[in-house]
Amino acid sequence: MSESITEKKKVLSCIQPSGMLTLGNYLGALKNWLAMQEEFDCTYAVADLHAITVRQEPAKFRSQIYSTCALLLALGLDPIKSTLFVQSHIPEHSQLSWLLSCYTQFGELSRMTQFKEKSQKHADNVNVGLFSYPVLMASDILLYKPDFVPVGADQKQHLEIARDIAMRFNRVYGDVFTIPEPYIPKIGARVMSLQDPAKKMSKSDDNINSFVAILDDRDSIIRKFKRAVTDSDSVVRVSEEKAGVSNLIGIYSAVTGKTASEVEREFEGKGYGEFKLAVGEAVADELAPIKERYEKIIADKAEIERIFKEGDEKAERIARKTYFKAMKKVGFVL
Ligand code: TRP
């Protein structure tokens, strides 16, 4: 008993290796992943299986799996403190996903907002994987019995269905899965598109000026902020009618640690030109050392493989235990 009092709470999260990660991923989620390493026992995975719900070009996909790992390490993910692994390396994710799909209703998956959106966007490829995506995500989570799962607004519905599936299973078979809570980060900004502040900043946006990639070079970062959409007055102030400017203030606050009102004061009487340049420079300064570390890490693929092999082993031990327990409860002969 005394052991469980001192044990750290567990956290699990995953990120897809689809395309380059953006400033939005960094400020909205990843910065928080890093902060959580101190307080929690964290498990983080590259969700490569989820990525193939939309078509991937093999060579590019493969290199994105490496680069996502490298970037997480460059950001400061510590593979000794935390577990970093690759989802597809642990077969229990797919296996538990099948089991749980038999405890998930067609109707509840049909109501998932992301499924509805993605099946419109990729109307020529509404595959079954896209539909059952939340079940795989539930498996990612439930295998590791986390107390908390940090998720952005767009994944909240998926976490809820994971909780529903877990509770349903536990009601029938007893206490197999831990019911995870969403983790609402203390820090973390919702970063919007620089070209259309009504939309979330996204790496899959066709307009490259709408997002800043973590690995963008200094000049591109500053240029993208210069071109950011604002409005026709020239007051640096947070307001619902000033979505573009509010977004830039949010970014500047997240990077500098200044509060929104401190930022408003700093730019009082100054124009948007000066403000946008300051935001661009602050972001470039924050991202430069990350890019530098990334270049070193990505140059050594063998070291990346060594790191995720270690992570895979740690993950596998836990995943296997949970998976077998669930199978046994259902009545399979093991
Ligand atoms: N679906 C998530 C996303 O696209 C990624 C993900 C996969 C995930 N499995 C997860 C997030 C488990 C949290 C927990 O952002």
Side-chain angles (χ1 to χ4, degrees), residues 14-15 17 45-52 61 65 85-95 136 140 143-144 308 312 315-316:
C14 307
I15 188 155
V46 175
D48 52 351
L49 294 172
H50 276 102
I52 64 161
F61 181 42
I65 296 168
F85 72 97
V86 179
Q87 181 193 30
S88 67
H89 294 181
I90 313 297
E92 284 80 2
H93 289 245
S94 311
Q95 293 171 320
L136 179 59
D140 298 339
L143 281 172
Y144 300 94
F308 61 58
D312 291 346
E316 173 74 44

Side-chain angles (χ1 to χ4, degrees), residues 12-16 47 50 87 114 133 137 140-141 149-151 154-155 158:
L12 176 126
S13 200
C14 307
I15 188 155
Q16 289 196 44
H50 276 102
Q87 181 193 30
Q114 194 177 74
Y133 177 118
M137 182 161 156
D140 298 339
I141 297 170
V149 178
V151 283
D154 62 327
Q155 295 297 321
H158 292 162

Side-chain angles (χ1 to χ4, degrees), residues 81-129:
K81 267 190 214 146
S82 307
T83 301
L84 172 64
F85 72 97
V86 179
Q87 181 193 30
S88 67
H89 294 181
I90 313 297
E92 284 80 2
H93 289 245
S94 311
Q95 293 171 320
L96 184 65
S97 186
W98 169 254
L99 193 76
L100 296 183
S101 71
C102 300
Y103 297 82
T104 308
Q105 297 302 304
F106 184 87
E108 58 187 340
L109 289 181
S110 313
R111 287 192 290 276
M112 293 288 113
T113 314
Q114 194 177 74
F115 172 67
K116 288 192 237 170
E117 280 170 9
K118 284 203 180 167
S119 44
Q120 262 169 22
K121 192 169 169 193
H122 306 277
D124 56 336
N125 184 21
V126 185
N127 60 73
V128 177

Side-chain angles (χ1 to χ4, degrees), residues 230-297:
T230 47
D231 51 54
S232 54
D233 74 39
S234 61
V235 186
V236 176
R237 187 166 40 83
V238 177
S239 146
E240 258 179 55
E241 291 94 66
K242 296 166 71 71
V245 170
S246 303
N247 184 37
L248 296 180
I249 294 175
I251 293 171
Y252 192 67
S253 303
V255 169
T256 59
K258 293 173 188 167
T259 65
S261 41
E262 282 168 349
V263 179
E264 289 174 350
R265 236 171 297 136
E266 184 177 343
F267 293 96
E268 212 174 306
K270 296 180 182 160
Y272 285 164
E274 197 172 329
F275 172 54
K276 287 180 181 179
L277 182 63
V279 182
E281 284 180 337
V283 170
D285 288 344
E286 168 112 357
L287 298 182
I290 297 169
K291 186 172 163 66
E292 204 174 299
R293 281 195 298 274
Y294 171 85
E295 304 294 353
K296 281 205 193 97
I297 296 168

